[in-house]
Amino acid sequence: WLPYLMEHAAQLRPIKTIRKLAVLEEWVERAPFATFNLDFNSVLYESTSAEGLAACPALQNVHTLSLYANDIGSSAFRTILASPSLENLQYLVIGSNGLADDAWLAIGEANSLRNLQRLDLMDFSRDTKITPESMRAITHSPHLTNLRTLDLSCSHLEPEHCRQLTNTTGLMNLRTLNLSFSNLDSACCE
């Protein structure tokens, strides 16, 4: 195992996708230099609470955290983002949680996301209303400067959102922007 795990650690590739926090803790104990995908799609509260997740030091070994479709709520989401153990997180999936404005603001304010390279806010449920302030929190965040991919597909975007995206000061390394199925019209292209 050791050469295999060391090879993955050197390439920063996750070696396993895990769906329970206790299993993550076991794997981190076995392979403290490896990274993992933590997939809580629709099952976060079956495994732990937001507080339990935020307090888990094994999050330092998480490359990808998927919280898709958990109905987390803004308060719990803020708790998770406040975790200092998220500092190595590369990819965050939080779409379809019906998050309010304060959750978007929390993303922009989260120093723990300073190494994030991919942010997936895709919202198939279309529960999330993105305000211009929400978009500004993301596009002008000093903590998201390493972001390379932003997925806003299936969002309700308006011309003001497009202006925020094109006049960003924070997303200087952004290479991929997914706006598919986002109700774009010709006014967004002006």
Side-chain angles (χ1 to χ4, degrees):
W1 277 100
L2 196 55
Y4 173 77
L5 294 175
M6 288 177 66
E7 175 187 329
H8 281 275
Q11 296 175 11
L12 297 175
R13 289 188 328 215
I15 64 167
K16 185 168 182 59
T17 297
I18 297 172
R19 294 183 59 91
K20 294 190 182 224
L21 201 55
V23 175
L24 173 66
E25 291 170 326
E26 289 172 15
W27 270 93
V28 168
E29 189 174 317
R30 288 182 205 155
F33 44 79
T35 61
F36 303 91
N37 294 330
L38 187 55
D39 182 0
F40 282 140
N41 286 354
S42 305
V43 296
L44 173 64
Y45 295 117
E46 292 175 19
S47 178
T48 188
S49 65
E51 294 79 11
L53 178 60
C56 180
L59 282 181
Q60 291 180 347
N61 293 64
V62 173
H63 176 276
T64 302
L65 176 60
S66 181
L67 300 170
Y68 184 83
N70 275 288
D71 196 26
I72 294 173
S74 295
S75 176
F77 185 63
R78 279 188 168 278
T79 299
I80 293 167
L81 287 183
S83 174
S85 297
L86 288 176
E87 63 190 17
N88 296 319
L89 190 66
Q90 302 287 310
Y91 182 14
L92 178 61
V93 180
I94 55 171
S96 292
N97 275 298
L99 297 173
D101 250 5
D102 61 334
W104 286 73
L105 297 173
I107 294 168
E109 295 167 356
N111 188 41
S112 60
L113 300 180
R114 66 185 171 278
N115 291 314
L116 196 68
Q117 293 186 17
R118 184 170 179 183
L119 179 58
D120 187 338
L121 301 167
M122 175 179 44
D123 189 9
F124 283 126
S125 66
R126 299 194 176 248
D127 289 340
T128 304
K129 174 75 171 127
I130 305 170
T131 66
E133 293 78 23
S134 301
M135 185 65 76
R136 183 172 174 73
I138 302 294
T139 61
H140 289 74
S141 171
H143 307 296
L144 296 175
T145 56
N146 289 314
L147 201 64
R148 294 182 177 278
T149 302
L150 177 59
D151 188 342
L152 293 167
S153 56
C154 301
S155 302
H156 298 285
L157 296 183
E158 298 173 7
E160 179 58 29
H161 299 118
C162 296
R163 282 189 283 281
Q164 292 285 343
L165 287 165
T166 57
N167 295 318
T168 180
T169 58
L171 303 178
M172 61 187 108
N173 289 311
L174 194 66
R175 301 290 180 262
T176 305
L177 177 62
N178 186 352
L179 300 174
S180 58
F181 304 105
S182 294
N183 298 331
L184 294 177
D185 59 17
S186 59
C188 285
C189 299
E190 295 176 358

